[in-house]
Amino acid sequence: MRTAESGRKGSRAVRTPGGLSVRPDVRALVVVGLLVLAAFAASVVLIGTGDFPISTGDVLKTLFGEGNPGQELVVNDLRLPRVLVGLLVGASLGLGGALFQAVSRNPLGSPDILGLGQGATAGALVMIVLFSGTTEQVTLGALVGGLVTGAAIYLLAWKRGVHGYRLVLVGIGVSAVASAVNGYLITKADFVDAARAVVWMTGTLDGRDWDQVWPLLALVCVLVPLVLGNARGLRMLEMGDDVSSALGVRVERVRLLLMVAAVLLTAAATAAAGPVGFVALTSPQLARRLTRSPGPNLVASLCMGAALLVTADWAAQRLFGDGQLPAGVVTGVLGGLYLLWLLVTERKAGRI
């Protein structure tokens, strides 16, 4: 009751000219705004970081077309695509993680745990190891691998619907199989292909250019409006299938549509930057704790993922002396610690 009253005090209904009544969540809006600012600030700092450092002011001038030719080359051609890929990959993973956790009604129901990243990795490794594929072929392989893995998880978890822990347990099993396949492919590769595959498998933004930006941006522009358009149905699904059906939600249609969108987002992010670990797991949880809002927090999770990944990439470049780490190593360490904390918390609460 106190929660409902505080929600009424924290937001006020706004009526549109068409007669619709909207009650905005002020705290959630503020959190989203702050996350956008944080992602922008981290991006500007990251663009200015490197062997040729550029001040924040000069970065901003160059982005607005007022830099000198050297700064324009470094900023627009070399560093901006890397940062944009980081923002898009982080946003895709954050949104994909929020969708899977909402559909499974389980904080462990993320692409990292379910094995979608491993499945996309298997598809990419097939192209690298067996066919010595080009960048475009590796990207296609990762997308196909992610889609096949997602379909396998959905079909194996189906029993009069897809629910909670069954989805997570099936995903863990599929992840183990995909990991074994990946290990086998690495052992069968020659030295050059194996080295290339291992670098890709760490999850890195090194060497990313405009060729990775445009396909991922197009996919995000298509899928994000589609997901947000079904946000009401997703909120209803969190109350259970029976209640959702009684409220007029076509449960399996909405669930399948959103899972396909989540798989595509995760596979595309993996294709662009490799399997960046734990961003999909942590972003929705951190977003929910900041907004203190029920529901999937889709926009907040998207913004949190983008801010997390560009910050992790900056940390990987600056906090380890002369040696630079892939961003996936930093997110893996931090995400692993968060996963341990989450498991302990769930166990104390009696949920696992």
Side-chain angles (χ1 to χ4, degrees), residues 5-344:
E5 290 174 356
S6 62
R8 296 189 195 100
K9 292 177 182 178
S11 60
R12 182 174 297 177
V14 177
R15 290 193 174 276
T16 66
L20 296 175
S21 179
V22 179
R23 188 182 297 276
D25 188 331
V26 176
R27 182 185 178 93
L29 292 175
V30 170
V31 168
V32 168
L34 291 175
L35 288 173
V36 170
L37 288 176
F40 177 76
S43 299
V44 171
V45 172
L46 183 57
I47 290 174
T49 299
D51 295 332
F52 182 70
I54 303 175
S55 67
T56 299
D58 288 338
V59 170
L60 293 174
K61 288 181 181 179
T62 305
L63 290 175
F64 286 102
E66 298 179 2
N68 61 47
Q71 291 172 341
E72 290 182 356
L73 173 65
V74 172
V75 171
N76 295 330
D77 294 337
L78 301 179
R79 296 181 183 171
L80 182 59
R82 172 184 180 134
V83 171
L84 290 177
V85 170
L87 290 171
L88 290 169
V89 168
S92 299
L93 292 175
L95 182 57
L99 289 172
F100 271 111
Q101 290 180 20
V103 168
S104 65
R105 300 195 292 275
N106 190 321
L108 297 177
S110 83
D112 305 293
I113 307 298
L114 298 180
L116 290 173
Q118 294 292 339
T121 300
L125 288 180
V126 167
M127 302 307 298
I128 293 174
V129 174
L130 301 183
F131 301 103
S132 297
T134 63
T135 300
E136 292 76 14
Q137 290 171 334
V138 171
T139 299
L140 178 62
L143 286 171
V144 172
L147 287 171
V148 170
T149 304
I153 293 171
Y154 188 86
L155 292 175
L156 291 173
W158 174 270
K159 185 179 180 182
R160 295 190 297 274
V162 177
H163 304 285
Y165 282 105
R166 189 191 309 143
L167 183 69
V168 174
L169 292 174
V170 169
I172 291 173
V174 171
S175 178
V177 173
S179 297
V181 171
N182 294 341
Y184 172 79
L185 290 172
I186 291 293
T187 62
K188 292 299 181 181
D190 61 36
F191 179 79
V192 174
D193 287 338
R196 180 185 174 197
V198 169
V199 170
W200 186 87
M201 287 173 65
T202 58
T204 180
L205 298 176
D206 289 345
R208 297 305 180 261
D209 56 27
W210 292 105
D211 289 338
Q212 282 83 37
V213 173
W214 299 122
L216 187 54
L217 179 61
L219 187 69
V220 167
C221 289
V222 171
L223 292 180
V224 169
L226 177 66
V227 169
L228 296 181
N230 287 273
R232 178 184 176 275
L234 183 62
R235 287 194 295 271
M236 296 297 103
L237 287 180
E238 290 190 329
M239 295 188 296
D241 291 0
D242 293 338
V243 174
S244 301
S245 297
L247 293 174
V249 177
R250 299 175 65 179
V251 173
E252 288 307 322
R253 177 182 177 277
V254 171
R255 181 183 285 126
L256 181 60
L257 176 66
L258 294 177
M259 286 189 67
V260 169
V263 169
L264 285 173
L265 287 167
T266 303
T270 304
V276 180
F278 291 106
V279 173
L281 173 69
T282 57
S283 296
Q285 296 298 312
L286 294 176
R288 177 170 293 190
R289 281 166 171 76
L290 287 176
T291 62
R292 297 180 186 173
S293 175
N297 288 280
L298 298 177
V299 177
S301 299
L302 181 152
C303 296
M304 177 63 77
L308 276 179
L309 189 51
V310 292
T311 303
D313 193 34
W314 174 86
Q317 293 188 49
R318 302 301 297 175
L319 299 185
F320 299 94
D322 295 334
Q324 294 185 10
L325 294 178
V329 174
V330 176
T331 61
V333 171
L334 297 178
L337 294 174
Y338 177 82
L339 176 60
L340 291 174
W341 175 84
L342 181 62
L343 290 172
V344 171

